[in-house]
Amino acid sequence: MIIEFEAVSVERGAHTILRELNISLSESRIGIVGPNGAGKSTLARLINGLIAPSAGRVLFNGLAVAEHLNAVRQQIGFLFQNPDNQIVFPVVQEDMAFGLKHSLPDKTLRAARIQATLAQLDIADLSERAVHTLSGGQKQLVALACVLCMQPDLLVLDEPTTQLDLRFRNRLLQIIGQLPQPVIAISHDLAMLETFDRVMVIDQASIQADGPAAEVLPWYRAHYA
Ligand SMILES: Nc1ncnc2c1ncn2[C@@H]1O[C@H](COP(=O)(O)OP(=O)(O)O)[C@@H](O)[C@H]1O
Ligand SMILES: [Mg+2]
């Protein structure tokens, strides 16, 4: 997997959210940190074309994202910062089934995949729950289940642990640790990123630090506390 940003800028009115980013992402575990409003979610959304750059371009495995939106999105599992933006159907297993309709047309196989994914996350009991009755953390887990059950080639997770209690946070970290696919995670949970191959600090529209977690996290703690 390789994601390339070529002189990518994002502007909104007079405000530059990201300025001329040139980055190449190919590590298996990549963390993105930075203050609120720094442009982390914007960067993540560029990867699967949820937003388009104002200048420059983004490539996913050599494909220009803007020209191959469907092909790129089929390969990327994207977990939104707010699970309400992700879950559209009223019942948990229906929402998961919808996402799998095309890739897994056989109903029995689809139901088995859904149950296995819910069990993997320890939320098999939520399968038939109405989504509006779930807590924020439960919704975050359901949104993650939707993403995982599609078995994408890359996972992009925008603040995946913010609403989780300690038990589910640890469960999520364990699952992420075992996933064969590459993961790009935005997080304020620095302990989560300690084992990552690479961490980038975004601030003031640019990359302020970029390197192995063991180097970048102490630098970030020292400069942004
Ligand atoms: N559609 C938009 N229009 C105007 N400003 C936006 C838009 N989307 C994001 N922003 C602004 O861009 C900045 C970066 O946002 P975001 O990427 O969500 O930051 P982060 O995820 O790091 O907290 C923020 O100041 C935010 O208010
Ligand atoms: Mg964000």
Side-chain angles (χ1 to χ4, degrees):
M1 184 256 346
I2 180 156
I3 298 158
E4 293 156 288
F5 281 63
E6 295 179 345
V8 171
S9 295
V10 175
E11 277 147 28
R12 292 285 178 264
H15 181 52
T16 300
I17 299 176
L18 294 172
R19 183 180 296 110
E20 277 194 58
L21 296 189
N22 288 290
I23 40 179
S24 171
L25 307 172
S26 57
E27 292 77 7
S28 162
R29 296 290 179 269
I30 298 170
I32 299 174
V33 299
N36 294 323
K40 306 179 297 297
S41 295
T42 302
L43 191 153
R45 284 161 179 262
L46 288 163
I47 295 172
N48 71 346
L50 283 166
I51 60 167
S54 311
R57 61 176 192 160
V58 180
L59 304 173
F60 180 77
N61 289 338
L63 292 181
V65 172
E67 286 148 36
H68 300 89
L69 274 183
N70 287 337
V72 168
R73 283 182 189 162
Q74 274 165 23
Q75 298 173 65
I76 301 178
F78 194 101
L79 184 75
F80 287 87
Q81 188 166 354
N82 180 353
D84 289 325
N85 292 340
Q86 189 129 16
I87 308 172
V88 289
F89 280 78
V91 176
V92 168
Q93 61 183 7
E94 286 171 7
D95 195 75
M96 294 175 72
F98 177 73
L100 287 171
K101 228 171 158 177
H102 295 293
S103 60
L104 213 52
D106 183 279
K107 263 192 168 177
T108 314
L109 290 178
R110 197 158 65 218
R113 171 88 64 84
I114 291 167
Q115 293 315 316
T117 309
L118 290 170
Q120 183 192 17
L121 284 165
D122 254 351
I123 52 170
D125 55 317
L126 300 184
S127 165
E128 288 171 28
R129 282 281 293 277
V131 171
H132 78 273
T133 66
L134 300 176
S135 73
Q138 287 172 325
K139 280 189 206 168
Q140 200 164 30
L141 289 162
V142 167
L144 181 68
C146 290
V147 170
L148 285 175
C149 80
M150 311 269 285
Q151 302 183 342
D153 299 320
L154 163 72
L155 287 120
V156 180
L157 311 175
D158 194 350
E159 302 197 21
T161 63
T162 40
Q163 301 190 57
L164 303 185
D165 67 27
L166 199 52
R167 182 170 84 88
F168 278 115
R169 170 202 177 264
N170 292 342
R171 181 99 190 110
L172 173 66
L173 298 202
Q174 195 187 23
I175 289 166
I176 290 177
Q178 290 166 354
L179 285 175
Q181 301 100 317
V183 174
I184 298 176
I186 297 170
S187 189
H188 296 294
D189 180 350
L190 302 186
M192 165 184 181
L193 306 177
E194 261 158 16
T195 56
F196 276 37
D197 305 301
R198 177 175 179 185
V199 175
M200 297 189 295
V201 178
I202 313 254
D203 190 17
Q204 294 173 353
S206 305
I207 312 273
Q208 304 293 327
D210 184 1
E215 290 169 22
V216 173
L217 291 176
W219 182 89
Y220 182 63
R221 285 191 175 100
H223 286 79
Y224 285 85

